[in-house]
Amino acid sequence: METEIIRAIPLDARADADLVRAAKVIRDGGLVVFPTETVYGLGADATSAPAAAKIYAAKGRPSDNPLIIHIAKPEDAALYTYTTPTYEKLARAFMPGPLTVILPSRENIPKTTRGGLDTVAVRCPSHPVAHRLIELSGVPIAAPSANLSGSPSPTSAAHVIDDMRGRVDMIIDGGPSEFGLESTIVKIEDDGSLTLLRPGRITPEELSAVIPTVRIAGAVTEQLKDGEVALSPGMKYRHYAPKCPVFLLDGKTDAVREYLKAREGHIAVIAYSEDITALRTACPDADLYDFGARADELSQAHRLFYLLREADKKNYDTIYAPLPPTDGVGLALYNRMIRAAAHQIVKL
Ligand code: AMP
Ligand code: MG
């Protein structure tokens, strides 16, 4: 398939005319990759089973891993799901923005979109290009991250093109993703409380300020046990993983330096900005990647998938990275990085 690549920065009259064509591709059952504030999404008409099926095929995604539907306005959730007072509170506090909410689905969202579940995940993105595309399409857009299944989510048009050229009708280049990790996902329970299924930019602390009871699903930080059912089907699959092994280092800078000094081979080290100089002296043959300042979790989130993909192109024997803390946005980093590392943590 021929893939048309269009640029939507700046979002001027020319770009808007291109988005009108992209919206027609969606309405006609085609696939369009578009930028959001989290990562790039691979979009299709969420109300069409054949269109949604094309998403699974293009990504190589297992058909039981449901898609998030993207809407133009928070109140549109009521057209496709049964919303609740808890949803209204979340919508007022966090939408449009990087929060996905799981609600009981109406019949107009086909089972293919929902991975066979009775619930559906809904998000209202704040990115102006995503918003405009959904509005022009006139349908909700089902969109998982625009990577091949298993790889880190794409946060730049170049990374989307690496994975999706030839597999989709159109790619909209909106520049680098602002946040860089996928949305926070919460499920609204029957009693109005929340279960956090995937951490993201909206933190458990922020959610608790609006909805008092927020439970964090075990799979956010732990490996699923054999036979355990994932609350969010995506959690059971290998994800975010480069081709080579990744190890997370849990220790103080001095211990990390001594450990890395003794490593051999073609290695990459993702390190906090403050540690780069010391580590460069300790392991002169390693390639060092600046993860951002230790306290600047937003910079780390912005860079993580970009760095993993760039490092992956160099065919390293091993990639080392720090084990992040589990509070605030750190929890989202921790959740993605333990998966990228297949839970291999080195305690120092
Ligand atoms: P992606 O869009 O690639 O970030 O993946 C979407 C994530 O949302 C996957 O981990 C899915 O398992 C999860 N998800 C989507 N719909 C539901 C749902 N109805 N119930 C639970 N998890 C869901
Ligand atoms: Mg994904």
Side-chain angles (χ1 to χ4, degrees), residues 271-278 289-294 296 299-300 303:
Y272 295 123
S273 309
E274 296 90 328
D275 297 342
I276 293 277
T277 309
Y289 292 85
D290 188 343
F291 198 19
R294 189 183 297 273
D296 187 356
S299 285
Q300 296 158 27
R303 291 178 196 189

Side-chain angles (χ1 to χ4, degrees), residues 102 185-187 195-199 215 217 219-220 231-232 235 335:
I102 298 188
I185 304 182
V186 292
K187 181 163 194 282
T195 304
L196 179 77
L197 301 183
R198 181 173 72 185
R215 192 176 72 86
V220 167
L231 291 175
S232 173
M235 285 191 197
N335 170 268

Side-chain angles (χ1 to χ4, degrees), residues 59 61 65-68 102 114 117 119-121 143-145 182 185 197-198 231-235 239:
K59 277 182 67 90
R61 182 173 176 113
N65 191 359
L67 309 175
I68 295 173
I102 298 188
R114 304 183 239 149
L117 300 176
T119 51
V120 66
S145 49
E182 306 85 346
I185 304 182
L197 301 183
R198 181 173 72 185
L231 291 175
S232 173
M235 285 191 197
H239 213 166

